[in-house]
Amino acid sequence: MGQYISRRSVHGLVSLIGLLILVFFLSRLTGDPTNLFLPLDASVETRQEFAERHGFNDPLLVQFGRYIGDLAQFDFGTSLRQQRPAMDAALEAFPTTLKLAAVTMFLAISLALIVGALAAYRPGGRFDRTASVISLAGASAPDFWVAIVGILVFAVSLRWLPTSGTGTWLHWIMPITVLLIRPFGLLVQVVRGTMISALSSAYVKTARAKGVKERVIIFVHALRNSTLPVITVAGDQAAAIVNGAVIVETIFGWPGIGRLMIDSIIQRDFAIVQATVLLTAVAIFVMNIVIDVAYAVLDPRIRHN
Amino acid sequence: MKRIACLPVAALAAFALQPVAAQAQDITIVLSEEPDLLEPCQSSRSNIGRVVKQNIVETLTEIDPNDGTITPRLATEWSQVDELTWRFQIREGVTFHDGAALDAEAVAYAINRTMDENLDCEVRTKFFGGLKVTPTPVDTYTLEVATDSPVPILPTMMGTVTVMSPNTPMGEPDREPVGTGPYKFGGWNVGTNITLARNEDYWGDAPDVANAAFVWRSESAVRAAMVATGEADIAPNIAVQDATDESMDVSYPNSETSRIRIDTMIPPLDDVRVREAVNLSIDRDAIRGSIFSKDVIPATQLVVPSINGHNPDLEVWPYDPARAKELLAAAKADGTDVDAEITMIGRLGIYPNSTEVMEAMHAMLQDVGFNVKLQMLEVAEWVDILTKPYAEDRPPVLQQSQHDNNNGDAVFTAFNKYHSEGAQSTMADDVVDDLLVRAGAATGDERRQLFQDAFKRINDEVIADVPMYHMVGYTRVGERIEFTPSISTNSELQISQIKMR
Amino acid sequence: MSEASGPVLIAPEERPIRQVALLLWRDKFAFVAAAYLSIVAFFAVFGPWLVGDLATSLNLRLRNAPPGSIEHGWAFVLGADALGRSILARLIVASQNTLGIAAAAVCAAMICGGTLGLIAGYVGKWPGAIIMRFTDVLMSFPSLLLALVVLFVFEPGVKNVIIVLAITRIPIYLRTTRAEVLEIRERMFVTAARVMGAGSIRIVLRHVVPIVAPTLVTIAAIDFALVMLAESALSFLGVGIQPPEFTWGAMVALGRNYLGSAWWLAFWPGLAIMLTTLALNLLSSWARMATDPTQRWRLEITDKYDG
């Protein structure tokens, strides 16, 4: 296992370097920050002087060399906009996103397992139909739409919840719900699908024949069969949230990394773009290793490969 | 079962929401965009200026939003020594929040810090571009400011320079500003809020509000909702469609003027008849009161009426599609290729409903017979097209833009937009160039007259743009406080002007 | 309901089309879904021609006219948008762009991802390793940045949006295909074919692709919705479809500005996206069941729970 993890780490490092190179060069294709930073009224000379002083006029390879040189000393660059180390800004925003992702995925997986299992018990039954339609409808609703309507209904009309912001546990309800619906919808489908085939499999039939209680069959025997696909899909969805729960962070005013990344891309604050991409990529890469290890632990066949 | 389960949630919610209302004299202000810095010399950016300007740091002079006149703030009086030098008398008995005394030395330090190239201060690049400014203390409270070329409106320009404590390091951007203002910087939880606390030693009148917190939500609907539920007290800028409650929502002229810039250098837009036809094709009355607020004022020029140099005698272009078609036909007869494709370039979110208004004008121009193509761009690409250097082989462009001048004088507008060497100018007219140069050096009535002449020529004869409206913003004000937004609310938000009910 | 007393088997039919139709008719949800999708597909092909100028002609007096009234004609039964254009007409015209973009992006992603996944899974070794590292990079690359890059490098237009959406969806197909191929490769019949001297390409096409394809198609059905929503999010950030072009996603993005005062601007296109997704998923789960010999019986009996 140790060997496996170290091999994966080397792979991860290779991908990370590739990513950094790609982000560096591709982001420079999207224009020079000079015009965005300076006021529209700035003169042509001021613009020239600014670009010169910040090194935007240097050849790209020179700029890249500088970036690599700094990286070697664990200097991730200085934000043009915030005028402070880019990694500081990224690290400040990351915990919020991680918290959102953790709570959301925990709830999404728990709920999906219960609903999916119950739906699979009688495929085509009334509960199955309702659950499928509701979860799919949720998964296909535009999240910014759900978020704003949620605020108008639950905060403005009913006054049950705060509109936005952070603070009490009540502030969590709407953001988490909005984040939850898509992973939940997809996971219900996954759980349901794998459970249906498990329930008609030989070992469940054997268990039934042995007189094992139906509840035990569903939640213990059949559900175990769903673990791997659920982990795969949940991993993808968690990665998507870690990469930025942009809509939720934007609308509800949660200071997360997705928002920071988007703002920096729009303002061409390259140092922060690079720092945030690096941070989220490392996080996703660690998560993928954990998932792979979980696979190996749960399924002995994979361990031997 | 469900109903019973809901009750405790609602009760808890009501309980949890209580503390938000907080102390009787504390307010929350919800803005659209978080500052990236709290650097006083960047305070011409509205996201920074609304927090720091005149709240934490003050300026020597202040521009009266109503008529553009200059009033004293940290300077008590000023006079011109010679063509290149002004003398300012600094207010006595004022101390910074960190205990340092305000004197001529401190002001000189602040000016030098603002003019330092390493800081990339927007106050410098926006208002003092290319100008060398040398402050020299004469005695404790007298400061002379010299410039390397004559600046007849230096006192006006000093209304943009914020005075920060001399203990603020030179050349390093600031995140914890210290000034002389009625409020002290309290704290900044990045992404969450910035708090300000009343400065009990303030030299002026003690303000009503004890503590103020700034928070940010980018969606206008959410900002409006926060004031409606009492989570915030002021949302200085909400979209017209969210301003649905007359008891809370106040419209105010926000000093912005919207226009479509015409590239007069490129055919077929180099034909003045085509440019006039563009103007006559736009039904300004249909857009006002529908896509835009009914309170916007159709514009004739790029500065608002309170600006020195505004020409009140110009007339709004009428909506006359028949005449527009005649002009096009005449231009065509003379060999102008009026069927060439013209690109309309808009910018997403430049102001509320910016996409809708471009779509509407696109349709209006098509109705008259223009061959127009609409492109909505994100800001970086839009700026590249708006500012020099222009691409050599550019297509004929009608570009959506908006200009904000609340600094009292037309000079902040005219040179950049209309002088042949201006950074955003798409015209070259010797008469206009000459008028603008002379106006910039003149003072008093002569200055005003020259600017007025320039605007007349730009708008009636050159036809360099499609003036649209002097815009309005909407501020939602909660029931706990009294606040009247003004033309300067776009760039600053003086908490000392807020009264508790 | 009279048949609820016991399962009724459908006799195997000779003509397959009739059989499919009957199976479809048995599953009412799938039938409605198929009917809905046929209507949408019809509008996608003929909509612009049927509706004409109605979708683009401005009438500022009807700005944000509410739905449910036919005072201004049937075209305005779903209300009017911020420029007083008929929402119904715009929905119909937009279906072409919407479905076209989503279909093109999903197909492109499926073909690219599937092919690369086959190579990575079947060939393995260094091409496989390169492809997998490339996937890792792609998955962590911010899609907005990608969209901006494409926007700056190419002329703006519908094609850009398709490229961006396709690229961001490649990894899911690639990883799924590779995982399946890895497993199939070791199965008996593939090993047997190899022993018997069949060439790699032949094995892949004859034995591997038919097994992988249904999984990919199932993913594609859900992806279709995600792509429509992603396209909407790109419009929301200013790099997606821009006026005068429009899609359901762009209509939702623009309509969100009016959620407080005119909910119908964003509601109808959002509903259209939602229904299309639902229909595709119901149909794909029906297809999965109908093609799976161990599950097919569920369709062949009239289910008493589904009265």
Side-chain angles (χ1 to χ4, degrees):
Chain A
M1 187 59 78
Q3 199 192 354
Y4 171 75
I5 292 180
S6 61
R7 200 179 67 216
R8 278 299 306 250
S9 302
V10 172
H11 287 172
L13 205 63
V14 172
S15 306
L16 213 56
I17 292 170
L19 180 67
L20 286 180
I21 295 174
L22 208 62
V23 167
F24 185 92
F25 285 102
L26 287 186
S27 62
R28 263 65 179 185
L29 281 181
T30 63
D32 178 335
T34 306
N35 284 346
L36 282 177
F37 187 89
L38 293 175
L40 288 178
D41 300 330
S43 63
V44 178
E45 298 78 50
T46 310
R47 284 170 207 279
Q48 278 298 335
E49 186 268 328
F50 178 89
E52 196 61 46
R53 188 153 37 79
H54 288 272
F56 298 137
N57 287 349
D58 296 344
L60 264 188
L61 276 177
V62 173
Q63 294 187 40
F64 185 66
R66 241 187 342 245
Y67 172 58
I68 294 295
D70 289 346
L71 267 190
Q73 303 164 39
F74 288 95
D75 175 353
F76 297 95
T78 304
S79 158
L80 184 65
R81 286 268 160 182
Q82 303 196 9
Q83 294 284 320
R84 57 172 179 155
M87 198 42 100
D88 287 8
L91 284 172
E92 218 167 60
F94 205 32
T96 305
T97 303
L98 285 183
K99 272 189 276 181
L100 277 174
V103 175
T104 304
M105 290 321 294
F106 173 76
L107 288 175
I109 294 172
S110 323
L111 287 175
L113 285 178
I114 298 170
V115 174
L118 290 176
Y121 185 55
R122 274 182 190 149
R126 203 159 284 162
F127 183 84
D128 178 33
R129 291 299 199 189
T130 323
S132 282
V133 169
I134 290 178
S135 62
L136 276 175
S140 53
D143 39 10
F144 54 85
W145 191 90
V146 177
I148 296 178
V149 169
I151 290 173
L152 293 176
V153 173
F154 293 104
V156 180
S157 301
L158 298 172
R159 305 266 164 132
W160 286 359
L161 298 170
T163 56
S164 53
T166 50
T168 67
W169 64 272
L170 284 166
H171 288 93
W172 285 77
I173 296 179
M174 272 202 281
I176 292 289
T177 313
V178 173
L179 274 181
L180 189 71
I181 44 181
R182 191 164 304 159
F184 169 74
L186 294 176
L187 285 171
V188 166
Q189 296 299 309
V190 173
V191 174
R192 178 184 172 277
T194 49
M195 288 274 294
I196 289 177
S197 43
L199 281 174
S200 54
S201 70
Y203 69 89
V204 166
K205 284 183 183 139
T206 318
R208 272 211 185 101
K210 278 186 185 162
V212 178
K213 275 192 193 134
E214 201 68 352
R215 207 183 307 155
V216 178
I217 289 180
I218 297 181
F219 285 104
V220 179
H221 295 271
L223 210 50
R224 187 175 295 158
N225 198 41
S226 307
T227 329
L228 292 187
V230 165
I231 291 179
T232 311
V233 174
D236 268 3
Q237 290 297 310
I241 300 179
V242 169
N243 234 332
V246 185
I247 302 287
V248 162
E249 290 169 12
T250 304
I251 292 180
F252 293 104
W254 282 57
I257 202 154
R259 185 74 210 283
L260 183 67
M261 194 190 289
I262 296 277
D263 285 349
S264 312
I265 291 172
I266 289 173
Q267 295 171 337
R268 311 295 190 269
D269 194 339
F270 299 134
I272 293 198
V273 175
Q274 285 149 9
T276 49
V277 169
L278 181 68
L279 201 58
T280 54
V282 169
I284 291 170
F285 151 73
V286 169
M287 194 179 71
N288 278 336
I289 290 191
V290 171
I291 288 175
D292 282 347
V293 171
Y295 273 163
V297 171
L298 290 168
D299 190 338
R301 281 177 305 177
I302 294 177
R303 208 176 304 167
H304 295 302
N305 285 336
Chain B
M1 263 304 272
K2 279 220 175 95
R3 190 151 303 196
I4 297 168
C6 281
L7 277 176
V9 172
L12 270 171
F15 173 75
L17 290 181
Q18 281 307 317
V20 176
Q23 299 291 311
Q25 292 188 314
D26 295 355
I27 62 162
T28 302
I29 300 163
V30 55
L31 304 177
S32 57
E33 196 189 347
E34 181 170 10
D36 4 63
L37 285 171
L38 283 179
E39 171 53 58
C41 78
Q42 303 281 13
S43 61
S44 53
R45 286 195 191 143
S46 68
N47 58 345
I48 297 173
R50 280 194 179 128
V51 179
V52 303
K53 195 177 177 191
Q54 314 298 20
N55 289 328
I56 300 175
V57 287
E58 297 174 285
T59 49
L60 289 183
T61 60
E62 204 180 348
I63 297 147
D64 186 322
N66 302 312
D67 53 12
T69 55
I70 314 300
T71 55
R73 186 107 185 192
L74 288 181
T76 49
E77 52 189 18
W78 48 88
S79 57
Q80 191 161 20
V81 179
D82 57 47
E83 208 183 20
L84 296 173
T85 316
W86 284 78
R87 179 175 290 173
F88 292 86
Q89 207 61 43
I90 309 299
R91 189 177 295 277
E92 297 182 21
V94 178
T95 51
F96 288 96
H97 303 149
D98 60 3
L102 177 82
D103 52 21
E105 288 283 352
V107 177
Y109 181 86
I111 294 176
N112 284 330
R113 189 172 175 277
T114 303
M115 299 303 153
D116 179 6
E117 285 194 347
N118 293 317
L119 263 187
D120 298 320
C121 293
E122 196 181 281
V123 169
R124 173 179 67 89
T125 53
K126 186 168 181 174
F127 303 113
F128 292 86
L131 197 67
K132 189 165 163 42
V133 184
T134 318
T136 319
V138 177
D139 58 43
T140 319
Y141 292 108
T142 311
L143 180 74
E144 278 190 0
V145 181
T147 49
D148 59 351
S149 64
V151 183
I153 55 156
L154 194 68
T156 308
M157 286 166 74
M158 279 300 158
T160 66
V161 179
T162 51
V163 180
M164 70 292 285
S165 161
N167 298 321
T168 316
M170 185 67 80
E172 266 176 50
D174 198 2
R175 298 179 71 84
E176 296 178 356
V178 176
T180 54
Y183 288 86
K184 295 178 182 178
F185 172 72
W188 183 4
N189 302 314
V190 177
T192 308
N193 62 18
I194 289 175
T195 52
L196 305 188
R198 186 161 54 199
N199 170 17
E200 303 299 344
D201 302 323
Y202 184 55
W203 58 268
D205 296 335
D208 253 20
V209 175
N211 294 290
F214 290 90
V215 298
W216 311 274
R217 300 290 182 268
S218 55
E219 291 293 297
S220 159
V222 179
R223 293 198 294 276
M226 285 183 75
V227 178
T229 60
E231 285 172 54
D233 299 288
I234 306 184
N237 199 3
I238 60 174
V240 54
Q241 57 265 25
D242 293 314
T244 48
D245 186 338
E246 283 188 12
S247 67
M248 289 193 286
D249 302 324
V250 201
S251 83
Y252 65 100
N254 64 6
S255 86
E256 301 274 8
T257 304
S258 54
R259 67 157 176 166
I260 303 293
R261 187 184 72 177
I262 304 176
D263 192 338
T264 66
M265 320 286 230
I266 307 289
L269 294 174
D270 59 348
D271 186 320
V272 69
R273 287 168 296 192
V274 177
R275 299 200 292 273
E276 184 174 349
V278 171
N279 264 297
L280 295 173
S281 307
I282 306 296
D283 186 354
R284 291 172 177 80
D285 284 335
I287 295 171
R288 183 171 65 126
S290 58
I291 300 172
F292 286 157
S293 159
K294 64 181 184 340
D295 298 330
V296 298
I297 303 165
T300 54
Q301 55 207 299
L302 206 47
V303 290
V304 295
S306 65
I307 296 292
N308 183 37
H310 177 271
N311 188 337
D313 301 328
L314 302 185
E315 278 178 33
V316 177
W317 287 104
Y319 174 51
D320 192 345
R323 169 94 185 117
K325 282 176 189 159
E326 280 172 33
L327 284 167
L328 280 184
K332 188 172 189 170
D334 287 349
T336 302
D337 181 13
V338 297
D339 298 321
E341 186 181 70
I342 298 172
T343 309
M344 292 178 77
I345 289 185
R347 180 183 133 195
L348 293 149
I350 186 172
Y351 38 69
N353 305 344
S354 60
T355 304
E356 286 90 330
V357 82
M358 285 305 275
E359 280 195 87
M361 287 196 286
H362 180 246
M364 288 169 181
L365 287 172
Q366 272 181 334
D367 282 349
V368 171
F370 280 99
N371 177 11
V372 278
K373 173 178 87 172
L374 175 60
Q375 273 183 13
M376 294 301 294
L377 300 180
E378 64 95 44
V379 56
E381 222 177 338
W382 174 86
V383 175
D384 281 347
I385 296 173
L386 189 75
T387 52
K388 283 179 182 169
Y390 301 129
E392 283 293 321
D393 56 346
R394 62 190 193 273
V397 165
L398 297 172
Q399 186 162 16
Q400 179 182 32
S401 75
Q402 173 172 260
H403 176 64
D404 162 26
N405 181 351
N406 55 6
N407 296 303
D409 194 275
V411 73
F412 298 111
T413 301
F415 187 86
N416 258 313
K417 313 284 180 194
Y418 300 120
H419 190 282
S420 56
E421 287 169 16
Q424 296 168 47
S425 164
T426 47
M427 57 174 271
D429 184 81
D430 293 342
V431 180
V432 170
D433 283 2
D434 175 58
L435 282 169
L436 291 178
V437 169
R438 278 159 55 208
T443 53
D445 287 344
E446 188 196 354
R447 184 182 180 88
R448 180 180 311 121
Q449 188 59 50
L450 285 166
F451 273 126
Q452 288 181 345
D453 291 349
F455 282 124
K456 184 167 173 52
R457 182 160 175 87
I458 292 163
N459 290 283
D460 289 356
E461 282 159 60
V462 180
I463 316 186
D465 41 26
V466 182
M468 289 168 59
Y469 304 94
H470 301 307
M471 307 289 275
V472 295
Y474 278 89
T475 293
R476 177 168 281 198
V477 181
E479 54 195 13
R480 293 170 60 228
I481 58 166
E482 269 176 59
F483 173 72
T484 313
S486 75
I487 198 160
S488 59
T489 304
N490 216 28
S491 52
E492 63 185 48
L493 186 68
Q494 299 203 25
I495 304 169
S496 55
Q497 291 171 355
I498 297 171
K499 300 277 177 261
M500 304 303 300
R501 263 187 219 268
Chain C
M1 284 307 260
S2 60
E3 291 174 331
S5 50
V8 179
L9 289 171
I10 298 169
E13 289 285 337
E14 307 236 316
R15 281 167 298 177
I17 294 175
R18 197 178 146 79
Q19 191 185 352
V20 168
L22 257 175
L23 280 176
L24 195 57
W25 178 245
R26 285 284 169 192
D27 187 336
K28 294 293 182 294
F29 278 85
F31 180 77
V32 173
Y36 171 81
L37 287 178
S38 321
I39 295 171
V40 172
F42 173 79
F43 282 138
V45 177
F46 300 105
W49 174 71
L50 282 175
V51 176
D53 281 347
L54 202 54
T56 48
S57 61
L58 241 50
N59 185 349
L60 288 174
R61 277 180 300 116
L62 289 182
R63 174 177 161 84
N64 294 347
S69 143
I70 51 165
E71 191 186 327
H72 309 291
W74 273 102
F76 291 90
V77 70
L78 298 185
D81 75 358
L83 293 172
R85 298 173 295 206
S86 154
I87 291 184
L88 180 63
R90 286 179 76 76
L91 279 178
I92 290 175
V93 172
S95 61
Q96 188 170 63
N97 262 342
T98 311
L99 298 189
I101 289 171
V106 168
C107 288
M110 192 161 71
I111 292 168
C112 293
T115 313
L116 289 173
L118 277 177
I119 298 171
Y122 198 82
V123 181
K125 302 203 187 85
W126 62 266
I130 290 178
I131 289 173
M132 291 320 287
R133 297 296 80 73
F134 164 74
T135 319
D136 289 347
V137 171
L138 215 53
M139 283 185 78
S140 305
F141 198 87
S143 55
L144 176 70
L145 183 56
L146 183 69
L148 280 178
V149 172
V150 173
L151 195 74
F152 267 76
V153 175
F154 302 101
E155 285 281 296
V158 170
K159 169 183 91 230
N160 284 349
V161 180
I162 297 176
I163 295 175
V164 172
L165 293 171
I167 292 179
T168 52
R169 300 312 301 170
I170 282 179
I172 182 93
Y173 295 98
L174 201 161
R175 283 157 59 108
T176 312
T177 311
R178 175 174 170 271
E180 293 234 339
V181 171
L182 281 182
E183 198 226 346
I184 296 166
R185 199 172 60 168
E186 304 309 322
R187 284 200 203 164
M188 199 67 84
F189 62 92
V190 178
T191 321
R194 211 182 293 145
V195 170
M196 281 154 65
S200 291
I201 293 177
R202 188 183 156 83
I203 295 177
V204 166
L205 290 182
R206 286 288 296 273
H207 299 285
V208 179
V209 171
I211 300 181
V212 178
T215 319
L216 294 190
V217 171
T218 310
I219 299 178
I222 293 186
D223 236 22
F224 212 80
L226 294 184
V227 164
M228 283 191 271
L229 294 174
E231 179 240 303
S232 172
L234 286 181
S235 306
F236 170 80
L237 292 168
V239 288
I241 295 288
Q242 295 304 336
E245 295 287 342
F246 56 101
T247 60
W248 292 341
M251 288 171 76
V252 178
L254 208 58
R256 102 187 183 284
N257 294 328
Y258 299 88
L259 277 173
S261 49
W263 53 268
W264 49 93
L265 265 60
F267 178 78
W268 298 117
L271 190 69
I273 293 179
M274 226 151 97
L275 288 179
T276 308
T277 317
L278 256 180
L280 278 169
N281 277 290
L282 288 172
L283 213 57
S284 85
S285 76
W286 168 84
R288 218 176 333 166
M289 229 185 245
T291 51
D292 183 347
T294 64
Q295 299 293 327
R296 187 164 161 169
W297 60 272
R298 291 183 199 280
L299 292 171
E300 291 175 341
I301 59 167
T302 52
D303 195 323
K304 64 183 165 187
Y305 303 108
D306 200 25

